[in-house]
Each structure stands twice: as structure tokens, then as C-alpha cells.
Amino acid sequence: MSDCVQKTEDFLKRRGIDPATVDMEHLLNTFLSEMEKGLRDEHASSLKMIPTYTTVVSEIPKNEPVIVLDAGGTNFRTCLVTFDTEGTAHIEDFRKVSMPGVKKEVSAEEFFSTFANEVERLIDKSDKIGFCFSYAASITADHDGIPLVFSKEIKAPEVIGKPVGATLLQELARRGYDVSNKKVAVLNDTVATLLAGQSAKREVPYSGYIGFILGTGTNTAYVEENSSIEKLGLQDGGSQIINIESGNFDFCPSELDREFFNATKAPQQYHLEKMISGAYLGPLSTLVIEKAIEDGVLSDTFKARFSKLGGINTTVMSNYLEMPFNHEYELVACCEGNKEDAVSLWMIIDALIARSAKLTAANLAATILKSGAGTDPRVPVCINADGTTFYKTEYLKKYTEYYLHTHLQLARRRYYRFVHIDDSPTIGAAIAGLSL
């Protein structure tokens, strides 16, 4: 067995999958440098560092209803949200419909008509609207959002370049509603996740807030001083939330990663996302396992069985670590009768998840360092983390916390707490709307 373990360890180091092959100091310095460059000029960095003109409020307005819209994935959700005197969010009149443009291409008129249809029942409930728009968009100084591109699921090319808040109000006005006092705050889901952290029940005060999503994709948001956002030229003494677009961080730790990037759409983009997120961890692990077969770490019998799977996803790789003796799982069946295959496969998948966690920790550590918060252990940074990949992938959260504790808390004396707020996009959008 020791030969099997040694052979697997040698493979992981040689191929750059062992987390120890990632230099955390270099990674942190590179991430911070990219953040600085992105604040000066987003075209000079892999991190766009998008200003949102959204601030963290000192107190959430109580007992004031706000209309909330959430356009994300394949669904469009609408509801009314009110925070009670204890700061608890109450979600009422919730409804969900399909996003326009999912089934077929729609015009801009059809797109905004669908939104207006859902807003009409709530229109008289509040003059404030919080709009979580989970697609790539630039945010304007008046809190509107201009779509830059839609994911392939949404087919609405005419909407690109149109301010979604103002256009929605125009459609409502066309229908005869008085929208003269209506205000719309548009924000993306990561920024909403940060804001939702404010609603967390707390035992201590927080010195700062981080919004973090690790699901199908990944992204991070934090609060930055306006004077540090050189590309805006603001010297007003204020601050605002920055949407880092952290999934696009340019980092390639090994030749194997380069090979994987080259097999994906847009090989030069979203390197961090392609090493840690749910959409890519499975395909990346498929490639690594194939290399292990090629290097003689896994047997020919395993090779024959594995080839029939046609690749694996993130859930399948996670299941193997969670229950490596459950023969209903595909990867367990691939190792049947060969203990060395079973041990080597476990080590390979575990290393991939641990490396993902180290990269995730570097992202969060750099963000906290850049924020300047968390220096007092009594007043930590609140990290509101969302996403099924982060919470459901075996060991990923545990390893992330280990690397953060080691490289941020012990090495740099910065302090943080994780929270998980249900309905974060809805609650964060409500806070943004109430802040108008």
C-alpha cells in the first residue's frame, strides 16, 4: 500500500495537483496586484473590479416594504420584502416565472413586458425596487444596470446595452402607471450576497463585509474606499461595493491546467473559475484521472470501467470522497476488487478539492486584506458565502477554512466569520432598494 500512496503522491506533485505545489505567498501577492491594477484600469487586469455605486448602510430601514426582482439562471422571481424591528426579513407575495428568452429568442419589448407583467401586482406597494440582475452588466452612477452579455440560456440580443431599470419603468409608464417617484437599484447576485450579510443575526459587530459565491461559477465582492478607485477619480471620502469578477483571475499553476483551459470555451478567460467551480471541477477531475491512468497510477481494469462513464461531474467526484464504499456510486464501482485503485483515486480527488480550497482561500484572503478590515479579533469580517459547490462538495469548505486560518489568521492576524443567509439575492436586493 505504501508504494501505491507514494506513486500517487509523486503523480500529484509532478502534475501540479498537490496543493503544496501552489505557492500561497506568490498567489496572494498576484491577486492583490491584479486588484490594484483593476481599480486603476479594468482593461489592464484580469480582475475587472467593477464599481457598483452601492454602499453598505449603517442600518437597514425597518417596517418599510420594498419590491424585489430577481432575474437569475432560468427563473424570474418577484416579491415584497419588509424588515421588522428586529431586522428579520419577511418575504411576501412571492412568485416565480421563467426568464424571458430561455425557450426562444425574444425582442427587448417582449423581455421587459414579462418583467412588467410580474411587477404590476406589486406596483402600488412601494416606490422602491431592488433588482438582482445576475448577468454581466455595468452599473451606472444612478444604480441602473446595462447588460453586457447574456449567458447562452438567455436569448435576448436587443436587450444588450439597454438600462434595465429605466426600461422597465418606461414599460410600466406606457401601461399607464405613475412611475415618477419610482426608483430602481440594480445589482448582481454577489453584491446582493454581501448586502444580505448585514441581516445576519450576530453575536459581535462586524468590521467589514464580503460577498462570496461558489456554485456553478464563482465571484467575490467587497467594500472599497472611493479614493482607491482611481479609474473613477472620486475624492468624496465615501466607499462603495466592488464586484471583483474574481472568477476571471488569470492564474495557471501547471501544464495540466493549461491543457484543460485549452479544451474549454474562451481558454484565456476565467482561469480561477475553471479550477474551483461546480461547472468545471468534474471535467477537470476527469482529465486528471485520465492522466493518472496514462501515468500508470490507476490500473487497466479501472481504465476500461472509467471510459464507460464518459466523464464525471462535481457531484460524482464529491460522492466518492463522502462514501467510498457505496457500490451504487459510479467511481466506487470502477475500483471494485482493487484496493490500490480505490486509495489512489481517493487521494487524487481529495487533492483536487484541497487545491480548489487553497485557491478559494487565496481569493478570500486577498479580498479581506484589500478591504483593510478584520484587524481586531473582536470585530471580524463577515463573509456571507453562498453556492452549493462550496457547501455540498465534500471537504471543500473544511479545507478552505483551514487555509484561511493558516495563511490569513495565523500569518497575518486578520479575522473573519462565515455566515450563510438563506435567500441572499432577495434580501440583498431588498437592502439595496431600501437604501435609495
Side-chain angles (χ1 to χ4, degrees), residues 75-253:
N75 294 312
F76 179 64
R77 304 168 182 85
T78 50
C79 63
L80 195 72
V81 177
T82 307
F83 292 89
D84 64 21
T85 53
E86 300 298 320
T88 301
H90 296 270
I91 300 173
E92 303 172 290
D93 205 351
F94 176 87
R95 194 155 75 182
K96 178 176 69 174
V97 298
S98 294
M99 270 291 290
V102 172
K103 296 180 180 178
K104 63 182 181 70
E105 183 173 313
V106 295
S107 64
E109 181 180 350
E110 292 172 304
F111 188 85
F112 288 102
S113 179
T114 299
F115 288 1
N117 289 344
E118 296 304 305
V119 173
E120 280 187 302
R121 78 182 192 282
L122 303 169
I123 194 69
D124 295 327
K125 302 290 186 180
S126 177
D127 284 335
K128 296 180 177 180
I129 301 173
F131 194 164
C132 182
F133 191 75
S134 301
Y135 299 91
S138 61
I139 304 299
T140 63
D142 60 354
H143 304 287
D144 212 335
I146 301 175
L148 303 173
V149 65
F150 282 112
S151 61
K152 61 184 178 181
E153 291 85 1
I154 304 300
K155 297 169 281 293
E158 289 184 10
V159 178
I160 302 300
K162 292 184 180 295
V164 293
T167 310
L168 171 61
L169 292 181
Q170 289 170 10
E171 173 59 21
L172 289 167
R174 188 189 67 79
R175 298 182 181 199
Y177 295 100
D178 179 8
V179 298
S180 57
N181 293 321
K182 303 293 181 186
K183 295 181 179 180
V184 183
V186 179
L187 67 167
N188 85 345
D189 52 353
T190 313
V191 175
T193 298
L194 183 153
L195 288 174
Q198 286 188 267
S199 69
K201 299 298 181 185
R202 66 189 71 178
E203 298 173 349
V204 298
Y206 293 123
S207 57
Y209 294 91
I210 303 291
F212 174 64
I213 293 178
L214 180 52
T216 303
T218 191
N219 195 15
T220 317
Y222 78 109
V223 180
E224 182 60 84
E225 298 296 324
N226 286 343
S227 59
S228 296
I229 312 171
E230 292 184 31
K231 59 188 175 185
L232 294 186
L234 298 175
Q235 298 295 329
D236 56 7
S239 62
Q240 63 180 280
I241 299 171
I242 294 291
N243 169 16
I244 298 175
E245 287 295 324
S246 56
N248 197 47
F249 177 58
D250 184 10
F251 184 69
C252 182

Side-chain angles (χ1 to χ4, degrees), residues 241-280:
I241 299 171
I242 294 291
N243 169 16
I244 298 175
E245 287 295 324
S246 56
N248 197 47
F249 177 58
D250 184 10
F251 184 69
C252 182
S254 74
E255 288 300 316
L256 192 152
D257 290 295
R258 176 63 62 193
E259 182 177 342
F260 179 66
F261 297 158
N262 289 341
T264 64
K265 182 180 179 182
Q268 300 305 320
Q269 298 179 344
Y270 290 92
H271 288 174
L272 180 65
E273 185 166 283
K274 290 172 181 177
M275 292 186 288
I276 72 172
S277 74
Y280 296 100

Side-chain angles (χ1 to χ4, degrees), residues 1 4 320 325 335-346:
M1 183 59 67
C4 157
Y320 183 73
F325 293 97
C335 301
E336 188 174 358
N338 191 319
K339 185 176 180 180
E340 291 192 350
D341 278 346
V343 170
S344 292
L345 181 64
W346 196 98

